[in-house]
Amino acid sequence: QVQLVESGGGLVQAGGSLRLSCAASGRSFSTIAMGWFRQAPGKEREFVSAITWSGAITYYADSVKGRFTISRDNAKNTVYLEMNSLKPEDTAVYYCAGSPPSGKVYTNEYQYWGQGTQVTVSS
């Protein structure tokens, strides 16, 4: 069992930066892929980024490619999402997720989910 707690959200102006963190409890963190999703008001939850258990491979939605960077520190049981050049359309609740089915990092079929952290980007 893995429990996930996100932090680092907040209010930022367009063009600014934020770094989200997701702290995990449980011994299996270092063996599972992790992802970030977001959900804007009135919209479905969408994939943002994912990273394999070792950190060797990363995945990004086209909308954030080149602006967001996912990373992980298995010694600290933490995954990060560095968000730069933020846009108002990045406003959403951001969720950390863990352990997707094999080959399905882009889907929302992850086994573990955090409660989310709000990111608001003002224009």
Side-chain angles (χ1 to χ4, degrees), residues 72-93:
R72 67 189 296 163
D73 185 337
N74 286 344
K76 295 183 178 180
N77 275 18
T78 303
V79 63
Y80 305 97
L81 186 68
E82 183 76 33
M83 306 186 295
N84 298 315
S85 301
L86 282 162
K87 305 174 181 180
E89 51 263 43
D90 294 319
T91 295
V93 177

Side-chain angles (χ1 to χ4, degrees), residues 57-110:
I57 301 174
T58 56
Y59 308 84
Y60 296 96
D62 288 343
S63 59
V64 306
K65 201 170 294 183
R67 300 188 297 122
F68 291 11
T69 302
I70 190 170
S71 62
R72 67 189 296 163
D73 185 337
N74 286 344
K76 295 183 178 180
N77 275 18
T78 303
V79 63
Y80 305 97
L81 186 68
E82 183 76 33
M83 306 186 295
N84 298 315
S85 301
L86 282 162
K87 305 174 181 180
E89 51 263 43
D90 294 319
T91 295
V93 177
Y94 282 71
Y95 297 90
C96 175
S99 191
S102 179
K104 294 187 177 182
V105 296
Y106 296 101
T107 73
N108 62 1
E109 297 175 39
Y110 286 59

Side-chain angles (χ1 to χ4, degrees), residues 6-22 36-41 46 48 64 67-68 80-96 115-123:
E6 303 95 335
S7 62
L11 173 64
V12 64
Q13 288 188 330
S17 300
L18 282 175
R19 188 174 82 155
L20 305 183
S21 299
C22 173
W36 286 95
F37 288 74
R38 67 186 182 186
Q39 187 168 19
E46 66 174 2
V48 175
V64 306
R67 300 188 297 122
F68 291 11
Y80 305 97
L81 186 68
E82 183 76 33
M83 306 186 295
N84 298 315
S85 301
L86 282 162
K87 305 174 181 180
E89 51 263 43
D90 294 319
T91 295
V93 177
Y94 282 71
Y95 297 90
C96 175
Q115 292 301 305
T117 185
Q118 176 71 45
V119 171
T120 303
V121 184
S122 63
S123 57

